[in-house]
Amino acid sequence: MIVDCEIRLAMPRDAHRIAAMSRDFVEHGLGWRWNAGKVLRSINDRAANVAVACERGELVGFGIMKYLDDEAHLHLLAVQPQRQRRGVGAALMAWLEATALTAGIGVVYLEARSSNAQARAFYRRLGYSEFEFVRRYYRGVEDGVRLAKDLW
């Protein structure tokens, strides 16, 4: 059960915290690409949403999704490790998927590290299907798995 979890659009002041979470929880071992500048560009991108989950005013998770004409692509999703398995990630995904549906988008795509069984299982529980294995997807060092969900 989520206690006092609010999901809202990120503000520019959130960019540094989101970037640090990406570095620490998503990009670890790969080098850091989603720095504060890149996150801020996504916050300001009219074709993207950066959603944050806050508990008691503390940013505990985020998701970055890019919306195209007929599909959406989840770039990043992270929840603080001590807040995982409490519904925060699922709530963020539901918020982002609802936004996609409102925009008339019926399919969401994303990638996960092939070695990250926990993330892959999380997305499968949310109705995503693995459809492609991509060798050395992550910076030429680690394999990835592409997943998709038909929202319609």
Side-chain angles (χ1 to χ4, degrees), residues 18-130:
I18 292 167
M21 289 179 70
S22 177
R23 179 194 63 218
D24 296 344
F25 308 139
V26 179
E27 298 183 272
H28 57 89
L30 296 174
W32 187 27
R33 288 183 43 205
W34 282 88
N35 59 36
K38 188 169 183 174
V39 171
L40 188 57
R41 284 190 296 280
S42 289
I43 290 171
N44 292 323
D45 183 348
R46 293 175 55 137
N49 274 335
V50 181
V52 294
C54 299
E55 289 183 358
R56 294 177 207 84
E58 179 188 357
L59 197 153
V60 299
F62 74 91
I64 300 177
M65 187 174 285
K66 180 80 170 185
Y67 302 93
L68 306 169
D69 289 337
D70 55 0
E71 64 187 50
H73 187 252
L74 181 71
H75 287 296
L76 292 172
L77 181 77
V79 174
Q80 290 178 352
Q82 64 272 29
R83 301 294 202 321
Q84 291 176 1
R85 301 186 191 282
R86 295 182 52 226
V88 176
L92 279 164
M93 288 301 296
W95 192 97
L96 291 163
E97 290 171 357
T99 302
L101 276 171
T102 300
I105 294 170
V107 180
V108 175
Y109 294 96
L110 61 93
E111 292 79 30
R113 292 182 188 199
S114 63
S115 63
N116 190 342
Q118 181 179 339
R120 292 170 66 184
F122 167 77
Y123 291 119
R124 283 194 305 271
R125 280 192 304 276
L126 295 181
Y128 285 80
S129 299
E130 296 181 357

Side-chain angles (χ1 to χ4, degrees), residues 1 13 112 121 123 128 143:
M1 183 68 159
R13 70 172 189 245
Y123 291 119
Y128 285 80
D143 299 334

